[in-house]
Amino acid sequence: MEISVLGGGFKQVITCLSHLPSLSSPSSSLPSTTRAKSSHLTSATPPLHKESQIEPTHVSVTPRKRYHSVAYKARQSAILEVQQSSDLGSALARLGDILKVQDLNVILRHFGKLCRWQDLSQLFDWMQKHEKITFSSYSSYIKFMGKSLNPIKALEIYNSIQDESVRNNVSVCNSVLSCLARNGKFESSLKLFHQMKQDGLRPDAVTYSTLLAGCMKVKHGYSKALELVREMECSRLPMDSVIYGTLLAVCASNNRCKEAENYFNQMKDEGHLPNVFHYSSLLNAYSADGDYKKADMLVQDMKSAGLVPNKVILTTLLKVYVRGGLFEKSRELLAELEDLGYAEDEMPYCLLMDGLAKSRRILEAKSIFEGMKKKQVKSDGYCYSIMISAFCRGGLLKEAKQLARDFEATYDKYDLVMLNTMICAYCRAGEMESVMQMMRKMDELAISPDWNTFHILIKYFCKEKLYLLAYRTMEDMHNKGHQPEEELCSSLISHLGKIRAHSQAFSVYNMLRYSKRTMCKALHEKILHILVAGRLLKDAYVVVKDNEGLISKPSIKKFATAFMKSGNVNLINDVMKAIHGSGYKIDQELFQMAVTRYIAEPEKKELLLHLLQWMPGQGYVVDSSTRNMILKNSHLFGRQLIAEMLSKQHARAKALISN
DNA sequence: TTAGGGTTAG
């Protein structure tokens, strides 16, 4: 009955196939609607080859291919049997001989599409073992490895390929590169790409498209993308609409608004029609600087081209309006989103609330929040975190606290953003107990505060004069890979200095020093004072040595005096050289102190002799009282040597005077 | 006959 609505060709195929028991069953089990839908297969255009191999029942609808050889039918039936078998191993043992490589590839792709990773690997291993494998087997298998998030395995497979023609096959290479790029290993994929080219790969447009897609998620992605585009141009590979799409997305994610616009126009000039995604990327680029005039024009242009703005387009437009401070227009657009059923979750509301809050229009944000709660919009708590921050920002701490409590009562699940928000709210409200409670919760969930929250916590602890707690928090922050702001470090260093936590102060100084941030000069001097006060003279020496020319003379004098008095005697000469090197003119008092230390420790006589020898070369000579002191104790050092050195210094002094 | 892209919102 159903068959009568179909063309005669299809009817005949059904009749013909029904002779084969294994093939007739899937077809007859189709519901009648599905069969009716399949009627397009009776049209003159043959179905995709791909499809025909996976579903042999739909094969050969064109009259020319209506009848197949027995061997062909046997293969098709074997493909189905292997695909449906519950014991792949035995199915392959039974049917492997009938199946050609291309049949096995069909099965391989079938498993991949259905995410049957176990079967996929088992089949691939079998194919390798029986040497029934082609480059397309590798290409498909590696692609699916990438989808199953196993880039290491994919790379292993690729590296194990011995046959050079397969290794350099462009589609195999593209698969590997795509697999690395999509699994966040963009740098590795670029490296491999260069290696592949050296080994003989001739990249095609797909190769470049793959690599360009990787540029989206990385830092400096835009400049990398430009390099790739230039390389493409040099190889005379034409741009197509896919590549333009990728490029636009790269521009958008790197805030390259002007460039996105240029590519968009270039694309149109070359005759490629932009689709919703192209528009969306460009619109997203506009949203970065809130250019609502351009955004409006673009959406208009899109409509004239016959495209209907979808949820993403309209939400992005809302973002543009919010960024541009057009709150009235934003409200109207939000209403439109609601009418279209595009505001079923909290996101568009949050966008607007956040924008209002950032413009200090807290009460307006609050009214949006209340409106969305009244409408019972689906929320996972994000709107709470926005409003709690908003209340904090507006100094409405009571409201913030109340909302935090509401949130705690409604949701028992905390996520990173919420915990950060709550900690910030409680810090602002001065609720130490609640802050600690939230921190414990973070600990339990193995979540760590974000950069901003760390700052707020540290500032809060400083305000409460809990400097050691602030220090431990900063240490934690540093260990988690965050770089604290210089100003915060500087103030914590001062506080720690005041409570005589000298080594902790030095540790904060070092966190800053070994980060890539620039440091203001005064900080070196500040830490130097703290270290000197704490008698951490060796550390102080390192600070002086590492910051030649950045420390004032009085500070150097203070340090040097402290060092000569009680620093490590073995480093006295080094300190002399360091302060001289930083342009400080060493005075007699310091020399006298140094000599006194050496006299007290005669076993260090080599050091004294070294100092005396070094002095004249730098224009220094000992004064008479130091000289007398040395002479008085010269038996400790060897009279002859001392006499020689002092006479050298004397000669130098005379020369200096006559000059 | 194999490989490629993409949108919003922490």
Side-chain angles (χ1 to χ4, degrees):
Chain A
M1 217 169 77
E2 296 95 344
I3 288 171
S4 64
V5 300
L6 302 172
F10 193 67
K11 194 171 166 182
Q12 283 185 42
V13 173
I14 302 268
T15 327
C16 154
L17 292 173
S18 63
H19 296 303
L20 287 165
S22 63
L23 291 184
S24 62
S25 58
S27 160
S28 58
S29 67
L30 284 173
S32 58
T33 48
T34 315
R35 256 185 280 173
K37 269 186 205 155
S38 307
S39 66
H40 72 276
L41 296 178
T42 59
S43 68
T45 31
L48 288 175
H49 190 41
K50 240 184 195 171
E51 200 177 329
S52 69
Q53 284 173 319
I54 293 170
E55 295 177 68
T57 44
H58 294 162
V59 166
S60 53
V61 268
T62 46
R64 193 166 42 81
K65 279 192 171 180
R66 198 171 299 157
Y67 302 103
H68 282 297
S69 68
V70 174
Y72 178 83
K73 286 174 189 164
R75 276 169 49 212
Q76 297 309 308
S77 121
I79 289 176
L80 263 188
E81 209 177 320
V82 174
Q83 285 174 354
Q84 291 165 358
S85 158
S86 56
D87 181 354
L88 182 58
S90 73
L92 284 171
R94 240 176 322 117
L95 303 160
D97 284 343
I98 309 172
L99 294 166
K100 294 193 175 179
V101 184
Q102 61 264 40
D103 304 329
L104 291 162
N105 284 340
V106 168
I107 304 173
L108 195 72
R109 287 193 292 273
H110 174 81
F111 287 157
K113 273 190 187 160
L114 298 179
C115 302
R116 288 168 59 177
W117 309 132
Q118 185 81 40
D119 294 333
L120 183 77
S121 293
Q122 193 182 342
L123 175 60
F124 186 78
D125 290 344
W126 189 93
M127 289 166 75
Q128 269 189 321
K129 203 171 138 204
H130 293 79
E131 292 181 341
K132 280 187 155 185
I133 200 156
T134 59
F135 73 88
S136 61
S137 326
Y138 281 101
S139 183
S140 298
Y141 186 59
I142 290 170
K143 174 178 101 173
F144 289 123
M145 281 296 104
K147 290 214 163 127
S148 68
L149 309 177
N150 202 343
I152 307 285
K153 177 96 183 271
L155 214 49
E156 269 171 27
I157 299 284
Y158 178 69
N159 287 330
S160 73
I161 299 173
Q162 300 295 320
D163 186 339
E164 204 166 302
S165 73
V166 178
R167 268 181 77 85
N168 287 337
N169 176 280
V170 68
S171 84
V172 174
C173 290
N174 289 345
S175 275
V176 181
L177 294 173
S178 153
C179 171
L180 291 174
R182 82 161 72 213
N183 284 287
K185 307 206 175 299
F186 180 60
E187 286 302 325
S188 322
S189 78
L190 270 189
K191 242 175 157 175
L192 185 59
F193 173 58
H194 290 121
Q195 185 60 50
M196 284 168 162
K197 278 194 295 188
Q198 276 180 11
D199 294 347
L201 164 73
R202 292 195 55 190
D204 63 5
V206 176
T207 318
Y208 286 103
S209 168
T210 304
L211 293 171
L212 281 169
C215 295
M216 229 154 5
K217 301 143 203 151
V218 293
K219 255 191 206 166
H220 313 301
Y222 180 72
S223 56
K224 292 250 168 66
L226 267 196
E227 271 173 44
L228 290 165
V229 169
R230 272 192 219 112
E231 214 178 293
M232 261 187 92
E233 283 165 356
C234 288
S235 320
R236 300 191 174 280
L237 288 167
M239 303 275 281
D240 62 22
S241 126
V242 171
I243 293 189
Y244 275 117
T246 317
L247 212 43
L248 284 170
V250 172
C251 290
S253 63
N254 283 275
N255 287 338
R256 297 287 182 151
C257 185
K258 193 78 208 131
E259 289 83 350
E261 209 170 65
N262 290 340
Y263 282 123
F264 189 81
N265 291 329
Q266 188 182 328
M267 166 185 174
K268 287 212 287 197
D269 290 345
E270 286 174 12
H272 306 288
L273 278 183
N275 63 22
V276 176
F277 291 104
H278 295 105
Y279 278 102
S280 172
S281 290
L282 183 55
L283 193 61
N284 196 26
Y286 288 152
S287 81
D289 27 331
D291 195 336
Y292 56 89
K293 280 187 189 141
K294 279 190 173 171
D296 273 339
M297 263 165 54
L298 189 69
V299 174
Q300 215 46 55
D301 178 43
M302 181 182 173
K303 284 178 183 162
S304 339
L307 294 170
V308 181
N310 61 13
K311 182 179 167 182
V312 175
I313 294 279
L314 293 179
T315 313
T316 311
L317 190 60
L318 178 66
K319 190 175 118 187
V320 180
Y321 289 165
V322 170
R323 292 254 166 101
L326 297 178
F327 295 118
E328 213 37 61
K329 264 186 118 169
S330 302
R331 277 197 195 87
E332 283 165 22
L333 188 52
L334 183 59
E336 197 183 326
L337 280 161
E338 283 175 337
D339 288 344
L340 290 165
Y342 290 163
E344 77 282 1
D345 65 32
E346 62 184 335
M347 261 327 175
Y349 299 94
C350 290
L351 269 179
L352 182 50
M353 276 157 49
D354 197 42
L356 287 166
K358 282 186 178 137
S359 303
R360 306 258 161 189
R361 298 163 82 146
I362 312 294
L363 294 179
E364 285 169 71
K366 191 182 166 195
S367 100
I368 301 280
F369 177 70
E370 279 161 0
M372 81 168 264
K373 279 188 80 179
K374 206 180 269 173
K375 285 180 204 119
Q376 299 195 310
V377 173
K378 222 168 36 192
S379 156
D380 55 8
Y382 177 43
C383 57
Y384 278 87
S385 89
I386 289 183
M387 277 321 293
I388 295 173
S389 308
F391 285 139
C392 285
R393 195 180 277 130
L396 302 169
L397 298 179
K398 237 171 146 180
E399 281 86 343
K401 237 166 64 187
Q402 185 51 49
L403 213 51
R405 302 249 182 272
D406 284 356
F407 174 82
E408 282 186 77
T410 321
Y411 301 83
D412 57 348
K413 226 175 62 192
Y414 290 90
D415 65 2
L416 171 84
V417 171
M418 203 57 212
L419 282 167
N420 279 312
T421 309
M422 306 267 277
I423 288 182
C424 298
Y426 288 134
C427 283
R428 298 283 295 252
E431 303 255 326
M432 178 62 77
E433 194 33 60
S434 303
V435 171
M436 290 305 182
Q437 202 184 328
M438 288 299 120
M439 286 185 74
R440 278 194 293 274
K441 215 153 248 168
M442 271 201 162
D443 225 35
E444 275 167 30
L445 297 170
I447 291 176
S448 93
D450 64 18
W451 187 88
N452 187 47
T453 307
F454 267 124
H455 274 79
I456 289 177
L457 273 169
I458 294 167
K459 278 183 199 162
Y460 176 56
F461 292 147
C462 284
K463 196 177 137 222
E464 297 292 321
K465 299 197 166 47
L466 300 166
Y467 302 121
L468 286 176
L469 187 55
Y471 165 70
R472 275 200 294 276
T473 310
M474 186 169 279
E475 205 176 31
D476 194 21
M477 176 177 188
H478 181 253
N479 291 338
K480 296 273 157 53
H482 295 292
Q483 291 180 5
E485 258 178 6
E486 183 183 352
E487 208 186 314
L488 185 65
C489 291
S490 172
S491 105
L492 185 56
I493 287 172
S494 304
H495 290 309
L496 290 168
K498 274 181 202 141
I499 61 162
R500 309 195 58 78
H502 308 104
S503 64
Q504 284 87 344
F506 189 50
S507 155
V508 174
Y509 168 84
N510 280 328
M511 284 175 207
L512 196 60
R513 179 159 176 76
Y514 295 110
S515 73
K516 282 169 200 125
R517 290 185 187 275
T518 51
M519 281 170 87
C520 99
K521 281 193 207 169
L523 206 52
H524 304 300
E525 202 149 314
K526 184 187 273 187
I527 195 65
L528 185 62
H529 283 290
I530 292 172
L531 292 171
V532 170
R535 299 276 151 216
L536 298 171
L537 297 170
K538 200 172 166 184
D539 293 329
Y541 164 53
V542 172
V543 171
V544 170
K545 203 168 65 171
D546 287 352
N547 297 289
E548 256 180 34
L550 296 179
I551 294 168
S552 71
K553 296 219 160 22
S555 299
I556 290 197
K557 166 84 178 163
K558 197 176 151 197
F559 154 72
T561 308
F563 201 97
M564 294 310 140
K565 214 164 143 191
S566 57
N568 182 336
V569 69
N570 294 317
L571 289 175
I572 284 180
N573 289 352
D574 296 315
V575 168
M576 290 291 193
K577 285 179 193 169
I579 62 178
H580 174 76
S582 74
Y584 181 81
K585 184 100 181 75
I586 304 171
D587 54 46
Q588 285 303 328
E589 197 191 340
L590 286 179
F591 283 127
Q592 190 162 22
M593 288 172 86
V595 170
T596 311
R597 290 285 301 278
Y598 286 135
I599 289 172
E601 291 186 57
E603 65 277 18
K604 303 289 178 193
K605 70 173 186 185
E606 290 302 323
L607 292 173
L608 174 66
L609 296 175
H610 186 91
L611 179 65
L612 294 175
Q613 200 166 26
W614 173 78
M615 286 172 67
Q618 319 303 320
Y620 296 115
V621 290
V622 288
D623 68 358
S624 58
S625 72
T626 309
R627 189 185 159 87
N628 287 339
M629 193 163 73
I630 296 172
L631 284 172
K632 216 193 263 171
N633 295 284
S634 62
H635 59 282
L636 296 172
F637 306 108
R639 283 179 217 274
Q640 185 63 29
L641 264 173
I642 289 290
E644 266 171 35
M645 292 209 179
L646 290 179
S647 83
K648 248 185 222 162
Q649 287 212 359
H650 189 66
R652 173 76 185 156
K654 265 166 92 179
L656 282 173
I657 290 161
S658 61
N659 283 342

